[in-house]
Amino acid sequence: MTRLLISSLVLSFTFWAAAYGHHGKKYLVTSSYDLPHRGSLYALFASDVRNIDGNKSYEFEPGILYGIHDWWEIEFHVHHGIENGEFHTEAVALETRFGLLGAFSEPEDHHTEDNSPFGVSLLLEYEKGLDDHPDNYEGRLIGGTEVGSYSVAGNLIWQHIFDDERSHETRYALGLKRTVSSVLGVGIEVDGNFSSPTYARITPGVYVSVEELDIKLGTSIGVSPNSEHTTLRFA
């Protein structure tokens, strides 16, 4: 199992070396509005570590993203988990995103401070649950802008889970990032659930871009007893 984790990380870093740009992945929790250019292919990787009552669980999500057009992308990813020392595949997912309004295609120079685009995009995702995990639909309306060294994004999220209760929820996510230098950014994200106002998390993060490699690291912290446990995030 350790070898599998190491192999996945090495493979992800290898693919990352061929990728450049944020392509909707500027943040850890919040989706950003920008899309890749047509014909661009990216490999993605994200992982979460949770500690619940002393029991650690791990989730990691490798994926591939392709820019079909400057206003249309498609992504395929797989959800894996490790709990109580056992590895399992939880779901496979197909995701697509459309640019709806404004300058939603990512700038050629991601570190030029006088770039001030604005964009709105729509994300749709279908997740096929495996084993005992239910299917899941999700939609996100994404808006954002960049002014100088600051990036701002907001998400309105609707999710429907095909479990026994056919549950659904409406959530939000907000992200603010400041580019400190050509390789370093810092920011904070907030996400929560409209149906449970006491549920909310904050995620301070560090964002690093070195040539063609983007790395994000942060910790999601619940701000109320009803929030989820603390989660370490890496992407």
Side-chain angles (χ1 to χ4, degrees):
M1 188 177 303
T2 301
R3 291 180 180 178
L4 175 62
L5 285 173
I6 294 173
S7 298
S8 300
L9 287 170
V10 171
L11 182 62
S12 299
F13 275 108
T14 301
F15 277 124
W16 263 332
Y20 187 50
H22 303 287
H23 43 267
K25 310 291 184 181
K26 286 183 180 178
Y27 306 94
L28 287 158
V29 177
T30 312
S31 294
S32 53
Y33 68 91
D34 45 334
L35 280 75
H37 293 292
R38 178 169 55 183
S40 298
L41 178 66
Y42 302 91
L44 310 171
F45 187 83
S47 62
D48 293 346
V49 180
R50 293 184 176 90
N51 190 340
I52 303 176
D53 298 327
N55 297 317
K56 289 185 179 180
S57 64
Y58 306 86
E59 295 182 6
F60 58 101
E61 180 185 310
I64 295 175
L65 181 149
Y66 180 72
I68 299 175
H69 200 280
D70 285 352
W71 51 267
W72 182 18
E73 71 170 33
I74 191 167
E75 176 185 326
F76 173 79
H77 59 263
V78 183
H79 295 268
H80 300 290
I82 298 176
E83 193 169 0
N84 297 323
E86 295 186 1
F87 171 84
H88 53 274
T89 301
E90 299 176 351
V92 294
L94 181 66
E95 177 181 306
T96 188
R97 197 150 52 95
F98 304 92
L100 300 179
L101 177 67
F104 41 76
S105 185
E106 61 187 16
E108 294 286 354
D109 183 353
H110 306 284
H111 307 301
T112 300
E113 293 194 357
D114 57 0
N115 281 333
S116 299
F118 172 81
V120 177
S121 57
L122 175 67
L123 182 150
L124 302 172
E125 178 183 357
Y126 170 66
E127 187 176 291
K128 176 62 179 176
L130 303 176
D131 295 330
D132 295 329
H133 294 85
D135 295 354
N136 172 46
Y137 287 104
E138 181 176 296
R140 290 189 183 222
L141 185 63
I142 305 163
T145 187
E146 297 183 28
V147 179
S149 60
Y150 289 90
S151 299
V152 182
N155 299 174
L156 179 62
I157 308 162
W158 181 83
Q159 184 179 42
H160 185 90
I161 302 174
F162 286 84
D163 53 12
D164 293 338
E165 300 178 355
R166 297 275 175 162
S167 57
H168 65 273
E169 60 182 16
T170 305
R171 310 194 314 273
Y172 64 88
L174 302 169
L176 172 64
K177 172 186 171 184
R178 183 179 186 275
T179 300
V180 179
S181 69
S182 61
V183 299
L184 179 65
V186 294
I188 190 166
E189 302 175 53
V190 179
D191 69 295
N193 192 326
F194 287 114
S195 61
S196 179
T198 58
Y199 169 91
R201 297 180 302 184
I202 59 172
T203 305
V206 177
Y207 317 90
V208 179
S209 296
V210 181
E211 295 183 354
E212 298 183 352
L213 178 66
D214 283 355
I215 299 174
K216 302 178 287 290
L217 179 66
T219 302
S220 293
I221 305 167
V223 298
S224 73
N226 293 332
S227 301
E228 290 184 358
H229 293 76
T230 299
T231 303
L232 177 66
R233 303 184 184 277
F234 175 79

